């Protein structure tokens, strides 16, 4: 069962991942990305960052639905890098109705929408497409932080 879908440009990131896996009783993490699965050093780094007690898949989007199906009896957290990848995820997994924006890196042409979430025009467009699908997006760094509900219409 998918318990959490998170956008975080850092993917598996130290205490953030540990706090979410503990809070949500996650025992399987899927990192969906079309570049990282082909990067041996990146895969090793992600494997090292994985919490003990969790299994990990680092897969391209083409394998996402199959990975979710194969692990449906586990508590799954899916992590993607950014809004474009989140939109792709929503196309592949229409059952996803909520996405946690945990970190979108600040760029020269981006605007702040919440703590650690900065969107440029393209990312804002992707975010609006996700919202148009009826998916709720919220910003929350860690489970103990307050939830932010930004206005992505601006």
């Amino acid at each position: 069962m998918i318990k959490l879908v998170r956008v975080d440009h850092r993917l598996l990131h130290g205490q953030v991942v540990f706090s979410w896996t503990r809070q949500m009783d996650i025992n399987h993490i899927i990192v969906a990305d079309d570049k990282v699965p082909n990067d041996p050093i990146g895969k090793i780094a992600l494997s090292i960052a994985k919490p003990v007690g969790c299994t990990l898949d680092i897969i391209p989007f083409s394998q996402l639905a199959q990975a979710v199906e194969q692990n449906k009896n586990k508590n799954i957290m899916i992590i993607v890098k950014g809004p474009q990848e989140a939109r792709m995820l929503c196309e592949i997994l229409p059952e996803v109705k909520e996405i946690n924006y945990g970190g979108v890196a600040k760029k020269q042409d981006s605007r702040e929408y919440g703590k650690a979430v900065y969107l440029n025009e393209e990312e804002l467009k992707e975010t609006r497409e996700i919202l148009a699908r009826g998916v709720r997006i919220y910003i929350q760094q860690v489970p103990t932080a307050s939830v932010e509900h930004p206005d992505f219409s601006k």
Side-chain angles (χ1 to χ4, degrees):
M1 163 198 290
I2 299 171
K3 301 278 279 189
L4 178 66
V5 175
R6 181 174 170 87
V7 171
D8 194 327
H9 66 278
R10 303 161 297 188
L11 297 174
L12 288 183
H13 179 256
Q15 286 301 96
V16 173
V17 162
F18 284 91
S19 62
W20 281 110
T21 54
R22 268 186 252 126
Q23 179 71 29
M24 308 281 301
D25 195 28
I26 303 295
N27 56 16
H28 188 72
I29 299 170
I30 298 173
V31 174
D33 189 84
D34 284 335
K35 293 179 185 162
V36 176
N38 299 314
D39 174 6
I41 294 172
K43 285 176 71 170
I44 289 169
L46 292 174
S47 297
I48 291 169
K50 171 190 74 68
V52 173
C54 285
T55 52
L56 173 67
D57 284 328
I58 303 168
I59 57 169
F61 280 95
S62 61
Q63 296 174 18
L64 181 57
Q66 180 183 357
V68 169
E69 177 61 27
Q70 289 174 341
N71 293 285
K72 65 183 176 190
N73 295 326
K74 296 179 180 176
N75 292 331
I76 302 170
M77 174 181 186
I78 304 173
I79 306 172
V80 298
K81 273 188 183 173
Q84 178 182 9
E85 292 82 0
R87 184 202 33 86
M88 292 168 56
L89 178 144
C90 290
E91 292 172 0
I92 295 166
L93 300 172
E95 65 269 28
V96 169
K97 296 299 177 202
E98 185 173 77
I99 298 177
N100 168 252
Y101 272 28
V104 180
K106 188 174 186 176
K107 296 154 291 296
Q108 188 171 14
D109 61 343
S110 62
R111 195 171 135 217
E112 184 175 8
Y113 282 86
K115 186 174 166 107
V117 174
Y118 300 86
L119 305 179
N120 62 26
E121 281 302 315
E122 185 58 34
E123 292 165 329
L124 184 57
K125 178 180 171 271
E126 299 282 0
T127 297
R128 289 175 179 155
E129 287 182 29
I130 295 167
L131 291 168
R133 292 175 157 273
V135 177
R136 186 174 88 87
I137 296 173
Y138 67 98
I139 296 173
Q140 188 177 22
Q141 296 301 297
V142 293
T144 55
S146 58
V147 176
E148 297 176 66
H149 299 283
D151 182 357
F152 292 111
S153 67
K154 298 177 181 177

